Amino acid sequence: MLVHAFLIKYAEIALKGKNRYRFEDALVHQMEIALSKIEGEFEVKKEQGRVYVFCPENYDYDEAVDALQHVFGIVGICPVMIYEEQGFEKLAEDVVGYMKQWHPDFNGSFKVWTRRAKKSYPISSMEVSAELGGRILDAFPEVSVDVHHPELDLSVEIRDKIYVYSQTIPGAGGMPIGTNGKAMLLLSGGIDSPVAGYMIAKRGVKIDAVYFHAPPYTSERAKQKVVDLARLVAKYSGPIRLHVVNFTDIQLYIYDQCPHDELTIIMRRYMMRIAEHFAKKDRCLGLITGESIGQVASQTLQSLASTNEVCTLPVYRPVIGFDKEEIVRISRKIDTFETSIQPFEDCCTIFVAKHPVTKPNLKVIRRSEQKLSEKIDELMETALNTTEIIEIR
């Protein structure tokens, strides 16, 4: 039995006051994008403080629910049955029929919630709830009413038609994409950065991404792994422009010219410079990384301060205080974990120093970078000009 519509519940958007309509409009837009991939004509509509998805006669229910569960800003999805408004007796008959169809074996406690959006309806909300509760008790002798802690909430909305629902499917939460600007994600093939991208997108930030490729030291399969990760994140974040930077020559030159204990920090600083270049070009308001304090040598507070120093844009680190287990838990939730652990190494692991410095001195790091001369600028220019851009949808 296909439902006729979905009532969409949101949380934070309701607190936005006079700007609320902008967030609702952004949510509607993201829902339309998500549902456009499913066969059938869905109509997303705002009605009297509610957001509804009206469904076609034939559609894939599971696909529709899955699409809506990937839209940030939605906290609940309620499958709705819609009946014609033909007076209270017909309403009561339809509600009892709904219970028999959706909860035929129910024998617990329930409560009826009535919302009378059609103010001309002759019976008050409380009277409708009380009378419907009595009709359900007559039809289901083993059930009971509990107005404080019911096992089943049955909601009835009286509009031009009658809307009935009793289930709330969890949504992704957060804020609609595009309501809080845009940022550039440094995306590797690991576990942490896809989670960081997901978490910042959940706050309404549109994301693009940059990946540092080092052929022949990293394979095409390693690159494809990152594309696959971007595609999984894009299920939540919407389309992502993935910048694939050929970083090999820069890494080899740094490896040849700089002290090996400083390799990780100096390479990271050049990655941040390149990422910021594309961030500014794409009008991003910040950079995003998957760094977590103390997880590796390049993620101590001293190392993070050293990489921050080369940026003029703010650097956001959503998982900065998480341990690995917490990050893995989210990666499993968003289905990136199995892809992240595929054995295809990225450039950071290939060129890692055996004994990296954990407390880099900025003066020493700058002095080492000065030894790179003008050639590093030429290599940077080449890397920027040869960057491949892949549109991920």
Side-chain angles (χ1 to χ4, degrees):
M1 177 177 57
L2 289 178
V3 300
H4 303 137
F6 296 99
L7 166 64
I8 303 302
K9 293 185 176 181
Y10 51 72
E12 291 182 70
I13 294 175
L15 306 176
K16 295 302 177 181
K18 293 181 180 179
N19 289 323
R20 174 172 165 176
Y21 75 94
R22 294 181 181 175
F23 291 85
E24 289 179 335
D25 289 346
L27 177 62
V28 168
H29 179 63
Q30 293 301 319
M31 291 165 59
E32 288 173 340
I33 291 174
L35 291 168
S36 67
K37 303 168 188 174
I38 302 172
E39 187 175 348
E41 294 294 326
F42 293 85
E43 182 185 11
V44 185
K45 194 174 181 181
K46 295 194 296 182
E47 281 193 357
Q48 297 174 300
R50 290 282 203 269
V51 176
Y52 283 98
V53 177
F54 295 99
C55 305
E57 287 188 11
N58 297 302
Y59 69 98
D60 190 306
Y61 173 86
D62 292 331
E63 281 189 4
V65 170
D66 182 69
L68 293 171
Q69 283 186 302
H70 284 80
V71 176
F72 287 132
I74 296 176
V75 297
I77 304 159
C78 303
V80 177
M81 297 299 290
I82 302 176
Y83 303 94
E84 295 295 329
E85 200 288 284
Q86 298 177 349
F88 179 78
E89 288 301 320
K90 184 65 168 65
L91 183 155
E93 179 185 328
D94 289 335
V95 169
V96 171
Y98 172 91
M99 285 291 293
K100 289 180 178 179
Q101 284 185 312
W102 286 81
H103 307 284
D105 302 317
F106 183 68
N107 58 7
S109 61
F110 75 97
K111 178 181 180 178
V112 178
W113 297 79
T114 301
R115 186 172 187 265
R116 192 174 54 128
K118 184 180 180 180
K119 298 306 179 184
S120 61
Y121 198 77
I123 309 175
S124 72
S125 297
M126 291 185 64
E127 291 173 324
V128 171
S129 293
E131 186 61 32
L132 289 178
R135 301 292 179 96
I136 292 171
L137 287 171
D138 291 341
F140 295 82
E142 295 184 3
V143 306
S144 61
V145 173
D146 185 343
V147 296
H148 299 294
H149 304 289
E151 296 173 62
L152 175 68
D153 284 312
L154 178 65
S155 296
V156 177
E157 293 195 7
I158 301 173
R159 299 172 176 270
D160 291 333
K161 295 184 178 181
I162 306 299
Y163 293 48
V164 182
Y165 56 95
S166 58
Q167 180 187 11
T168 300
I169 302 167
M175 299 292 292
I177 294 295
T179 56
N180 281 312
K182 185 178 179 183
M184 181 67 70
L185 170 67
L186 280 79
L187 182 62
S188 71
I191 297 171
D192 305 337
S193 58
V195 171
Y198 161 83
M199 290 180 65
I200 208 79
K202 188 174 181 179
R203 301 309 307 154
V205 178
K206 185 179 185 332
I207 61 173
D208 282 344
V210 58
Y211 163 62
F212 294 92
H213 194 39
Y217 302 97
T218 54
S219 66
E220 282 299 306
R221 191 61 192 88
K223 172 182 165 183
Q224 184 59 46
K225 173 183 173 181
V226 172
V227 171
D228 293 341
L229 286 171
R231 189 167 287 117
L232 290 169
V233 175
K235 286 185 176 182
Y236 292 93
S237 70
I240 295 173
R241 293 187 79 210
L242 176 63
H243 303 72
V244 180
V245 180
N246 189 327
F247 202 57
T248 308
D249 291 340
I250 294 173
Q251 284 191 294
L252 289 175
Y253 185 59
I254 293 171
Y255 188 86
D256 184 56
Q257 298 293 321
C258 296
H260 280 202
D261 63 340
E262 299 173 9
L263 289 177
T264 302
I265 294 300
I266 294 175
M267 288 179 185
R268 188 69 177 173
R269 280 162 65 90
Y270 277 94
M271 287 179 179
M272 299 297 273
R273 289 180 173 107
I274 291 172
E276 184 172 75
H277 168 85
F278 288 115
K280 290 180 176 179
K281 191 174 181 180
D282 288 359
R283 298 183 179 180
C284 295
L285 301 176
L287 303 177
I288 313 161
T289 76
E291 292 160 317
S292 170
I293 293 176
Q295 192 172 116
V296 293
S298 63
Q299 296 178 19
T300 63
L301 285 181
Q302 293 88 341
S303 296
L304 296 178
S306 178
T307 55
N308 273 12
E309 196 232 4
V310 302
C311 300
T312 57
L313 290 177
V315 182
Y316 301 106
R317 299 178 169 96
V319 299
I320 190 73
F322 286 20
D323 61 33
K324 199 67 176 183
E325 183 178 341
E326 292 171 309
I327 297 171
V328 166
R329 189 181 306 126
I330 298 174
S331 73
R332 291 185 185 278
K333 172 185 171 183
I334 64 175
D335 294 327
T336 57
F337 179 76
E338 294 300 329
T339 302
S340 292
I341 62 173
Q342 290 176 3
F344 303 106
E345 295 180 304
D346 60 27
C347 63
C348 294
T349 55
I350 294 293
F351 287 90
V352 68
K354 289 184 179 180
H355 303 288
V357 61
T358 58
K359 297 180 180 180
N361 183 306
L362 267 176
K363 290 183 179 179
V364 175
I365 296 296
R366 291 193 202 109
R367 196 178 305 129
S368 296
E369 287 185 346
Q370 287 173 358
K371 298 176 184 177
L372 295 174
S373 72
E374 294 179 0
K375 185 175 179 181
I376 193 70
D377 296 330
E378 295 173 6
L379 295 175
M380 285 273 287
E381 190 68 24
T382 300
L384 296 175
N385 292 335
T386 59
T387 293
E388 177 188 5
I389 296 178
I390 303 174
E391 300 289 345
I392 305 293
R393 298 186 181 277

